[in-house]
Amino acid sequence: MNLENAEPMVADEPEKLAEQRPEEIARRYDNRAGYDLVSWRKVGLPIYKITVHTLIQLHKSIPPIEEFVLKTIKAGLSSEEGIGGLLGLEFSLVREAMINLRTSEDIDLIAPDSSSKQVWKLTKKGEGTLRNLKIIVPQARTFTIHFDGLLWHPHWYGQHLESSFLRPRELKQGMIEISPCQTNQIELSDLNLIEVDRLLEKIESESRRKVKREQDLLALKAIDRRERLYQPALTLIYKAKEGGDPQVAFVIDGILSEKHEAAFARSNGVKKHRIFESLQVNDSRHLVEQELGTDVKQSLDKSETLKTEVTSVQTQIETTQKNIEQVQTDEEKVALEQRIVELQHQIEELKKQQNSVPIRWLEVYEHRPLLEKVLNDSRERLLIISPWIRASATNRKLIGQIEKLLKVNVKVFIGYGLGEEDEKSEYDAKTEEKIQRLARRYNNFYLKRLGDTHAKILISDKKLAVVTSFNWLSFKGDPNREFRDERGTLISEPQKIDELFDSYMERFNEPA
């Protein structure tokens, strides 16, 4: 089945593009050699908003009177009376200016070699002040900066990203909190003077002030406030094809962050978040063999081989595109562009072969588009098995699509529930009630609480069936927030589809 043109489901609330279409991001980065992309999650990366007390040198424009005082002393005048007389200024104004210049170490009383009498002279610093018409003033300043809890150093994100940071109480439903790489409190020793100075320069450059202040950071004195925040991101979980630890990547504002991936690996994040154990328990191959038997192995192996070939050709395309930027002649460029066209044709052919395999892997980012497609295209029957019904996923649009199918006499079967009645929010309870009211209104809607729906099943007519770990009706607010292998198996063989459907009809026909 071709999912390329299927529109992803849109939640009721407006969201940023990067948050609204995580499947597109996952599809874009599903090309890691030796690994399968098996899951994605919305996460909150740890950020600290800290207040730092510093000592800076502030470069200020020198006041006109002090400028003229420096010039007259440079010209050879020394007494306050002589300077005031030349400038035509009151003695008190000249004295105040000279006190300021003495305090800032721009002038000093110095005895010439040939005399024991001290006279006012410009210091070396004063020479520079007069040359630049700037005065350097030491000043205590307090700055608010952000400290990345995964990278464990100050970091500049820009106003665009910083405006999206979340407080702990604002973490969205279904969003997983990523732990910082260290459990200890941020101390002054964790701040590097040069890094903080560069960060302050970036903050200053993005400031709305028309006149930028020149300043040098001299010292970091203390930290007196540490507020915990979270940066919204998407984490991608890659499972090794030949065994070994999974790899965890982070996409921030649509861009893969290699720095955060490396920091997470260094801090042993896979073990800390128990990702490896979760993936082992939720092995997608084991799940489909439970439902369909071990005879699916040959088809799945072929599907896996074709996917590996697609990834290899995509890597060749990326390498060729980089080579185009380095070639010297038009002939070389044309040859490489032609090579890219040939490789793209190879990918098209491989994908056709993938779609023709009767039982193939369904990638994690294909699930939502496929659900949307069958809600529009089913003509005889639609079966959905999902542990939970959640408002964030089973929204008005999805319920409306189900009712459209019911109105044209499509038989709809929904089985849900896992164990005892689970705790649900007010919105989740109302959503479940809406589904139940719909079942009471239509005789062709079969809704049943099964109580042990570990498997997640989707069947549309005799066209397709899916066995997966993906929670069809709660994918945005799943209370089981562990990382798991959410790839599925897509079956397009009618006999297998009927066998799977019949096995679940026995459950629907059991007495309540």
Side-chain angles (χ1 to χ4, degrees):
M1 169 168 284
N2 183 10
L3 304 180
E4 296 293 328
N5 299 319
E7 290 292 328
M9 297 183 65
V10 179
D12 292 337
E13 70 277 6
E15 297 179 329
K16 291 182 180 178
L17 182 62
E19 294 178 346
Q20 192 178 44
R21 298 180 182 270
E23 293 83 8
E24 294 179 3
I25 296 172
R27 184 189 297 274
R28 186 189 319 153
Y29 293 114
D30 183 18
N31 56 357
R32 188 166 293 207
Y35 288 83
D36 290 316
L37 176 60
V38 298
S39 185
W40 58 261
R41 283 287 186 279
K42 291 181 181 179
V43 297
L45 299 179
I47 302 291
Y48 297 89
K49 186 177 182 180
I50 63 175
T51 301
V52 184
H53 296 272
T54 70
L55 180 66
I56 66 167
Q57 281 188 155
L58 190 61
H59 299 250
K60 299 171 62 176
S61 296
I62 187 169
I65 293 177
E66 293 180 17
E67 176 188 343
F68 290 129
V69 169
L70 287 175
K71 288 180 177 179
T72 54
I73 293 176
K74 175 75 172 176
L77 294 180
S78 178
S79 69
E80 297 170 2
E81 295 82 358
I83 293 171
L86 178 65
L87 298 177
L89 296 174
E90 295 180 11
F91 172 78
S92 60
L93 293 177
V94 174
R95 184 170 184 78
E96 182 181 355
M98 293 184 71
I99 290 172
N100 291 340
L101 291 170
R102 178 75 181 274
T103 302
S104 63
E105 299 181 350
D106 286 292
I107 61 173
D108 203 357
L109 282 169
I110 300 171
D113 293 337
S114 59
S115 172
S116 61
K117 183 180 179 182
Q118 290 183 319
V119 295
W120 289 108
K121 291 288 186 180
L122 268 60
T123 63
K124 186 174 291 187
K125 180 174 179 290
E127 295 277 0
T129 298
L130 183 59
R131 188 165 53 250
N132 300 317
L133 294 181
K134 297 277 187 181
I135 190 167
I136 300 174
V137 182
Q139 190 176 86
R141 286 284 305 277
T142 300
F143 295 98
T144 298
I145 63 175
H146 289 102
F147 187 97
D148 194 297
L150 203 53
L151 303 180
W152 206 251
H153 62 66
H155 196 70
W156 169 243
Y157 303 90
Q159 293 179 357
H160 166 61
L161 283 182
E162 290 179 0
S163 65
S164 69
F165 288 171
L166 304 172
R167 290 181 170 82
R169 66 176 182 274
E170 296 172 332
L171 279 182
K172 297 181 180 179
Q173 186 182 26
M175 183 177 281
I176 296 174
E177 176 185 345
I178 298 297
S179 303
C181 71
Q182 297 187 30
T183 57
N184 52 293
Q185 181 175 261
I186 303 167
E187 302 294 348
L188 206 59
S189 58
D190 294 313
L191 304 183
N192 179 284
L193 184 69
I194 295 175
E195 286 181 348
V196 174
D197 192 29
R198 288 172 180 166
L199 190 149
L200 294 177
E201 285 180 7
K202 292 176 181 178
I203 293 174
E204 177 74 8
S205 68
E206 201 164 295
S207 169
R208 294 183 178 180
R209 289 197 301 269
K210 292 182 180 179
V211 179
K212 305 297 182 183
R213 290 180 293 186
E214 296 179 39
Q215 59 192 26
D216 299 317
L217 186 61
L218 298 180
L220 305 173
K221 308 297 287 184
I223 302 173
D224 72 358
R225 187 167 178 248
R226 303 163 180 84
E227 180 186 1
R228 184 72 168 266
L229 299 172
Y230 296 93
Q231 179 179 45
L234 197 70
T235 184
L236 305 177
I237 312 297
Y238 297 89
K239 189 175 182 180
K241 293 179 184 292
E242 302 298 331
D245 287 347
Q247 292 186 355
V248 181
F250 296 96
V251 179
I252 301 171
D253 201 33
I255 304 298
L256 199 66
S257 173
E258 294 180 358
K259 289 182 179 180
H260 285 85
E261 178 175 350
F264 187 81
R266 284 195 303 270
S267 67
N268 206 11
V270 167
K271 183 176 181 180
K272 190 186 300 183
H273 292 272
R274 304 186 67 182
I275 295 173
F276 185 79
E277 293 89 338
S278 298
L279 294 182
Q280 290 296 101
V281 170
N282 295 286
D283 181 73
S284 53
R285 184 182 287 271
H286 176 68
L287 183 63
V288 71
E289 288 180 354
Q290 276 186 326
E291 294 290 335
L292 298 177
T294 57
D295 59 341
V296 301
K297 184 179 184 303
Q298 185 176 355
S299 288
L300 289 180
D301 287 346
K302 183 177 180 181
S303 172
E304 186 72 22
T305 300
L306 289 167
K307 182 189 174 185
T308 301
E309 291 179 19
V310 169
T311 300
S312 174
V313 177
Q314 287 173 333
T315 301
Q316 292 179 53
I317 289 176
E318 292 171 6
T319 302
T320 307
Q321 287 172 334
K322 291 178 182 177
N323 291 338
I324 287 177
E325 300 172 2
Q326 301 172 1
V327 297
Q328 302 296 321
T329 66
D330 290 341
E331 290 80 3
E332 291 175 304
K333 183 178 180 180
V334 169
L336 290 174
E337 288 174 344
Q338 181 59 38
R339 177 59 179 159
I340 289 176
V341 172
E342 293 170 359
L343 292 170
Q344 287 172 336
H345 287 320
Q346 283 187 37
I347 287 181
E348 290 175 9
E349 183 57 36
L350 288 169
K351 286 186 174 181
K352 286 179 183 177
Q353 293 179 42
Q354 279 183 307
N355 290 333
S356 67
V357 178
I359 302 176
R360 72 169 181 87
W361 289 115
L362 187 72
E363 304 303 335
V364 58
Y365 46 79
E366 293 183 289
H367 285 75
R368 281 178 66 183
L370 180 60
L371 176 59
E372 176 73 5
K373 189 170 181 61
V374 301
L375 284 169
N376 287 323
D377 295 351
S378 296
R379 293 294 176 262
E380 297 177 5
R381 65 186 184 188
L382 173 66
L383 180 141
I384 300 174
I385 306 294
S386 185
W388 298 281
I389 295 174
R390 294 288 182 256
S392 54
T394 312
N395 52 25
R396 286 194 299 269
K397 180 178 179 181
L398 188 145
I399 294 173
Q401 288 172 313
I402 290 174
E403 186 165 14
K404 280 184 180 179
L405 294 177
L406 295 169
K407 286 180 177 179
V408 294
N409 296 319
V410 175
K411 291 182 179 180
V412 176
F413 303 83
I414 292 182
Y416 71 103
L418 183 61
E420 299 297 324
E421 284 281 352
D422 60 296
E423 292 185 12
K424 30 184 186 286
S425 70
E426 178 185 352
Y427 295 109
D428 293 335
K430 287 182 178 178
T431 298
E432 188 173 325
E433 186 180 331
K434 288 178 184 177
I435 293 289
Q436 290 169 347
R437 285 203 304 266
L438 204 61
R440 290 193 291 269
R441 286 176 53 199
Y442 291 91
N443 293 330
N444 53 327
F445 190 179
Y446 305 87
L447 179 68
K448 186 165 185 178
R449 181 176 176 83
L450 300 177
D452 60 351
T453 51
H454 288 280
K456 293 84 178 175
I457 308 294
L458 181 70
I459 298 177
S460 174
D461 300 330
K462 293 180 181 288
K463 293 180 293 188
L464 67 87
V466 178
V467 179
T468 183
S469 294
F470 182 84
N471 291 323
W472 299 106
L473 301 179
S474 64
F475 48 82
K476 294 190 67 185
D478 186 353
N480 181 9
R481 287 153 45 114
E482 66 182 7
F483 295 94
R484 60 179 179 273
D485 187 340
E486 284 188 319
R487 288 176 300 168
T489 305
L490 179 67
I491 303 125
S492 55
E493 187 179 318
Q495 182 180 342
K496 290 284 186 186
I497 295 170
D498 280 341
E499 289 174 2
L500 188 61
F501 182 83
D502 291 342
S503 70
Y504 276 92
M505 283 306 94
E506 293 176 8
R507 298 295 313 278
F508 276 86
N509 292 330
E510 290 174 356

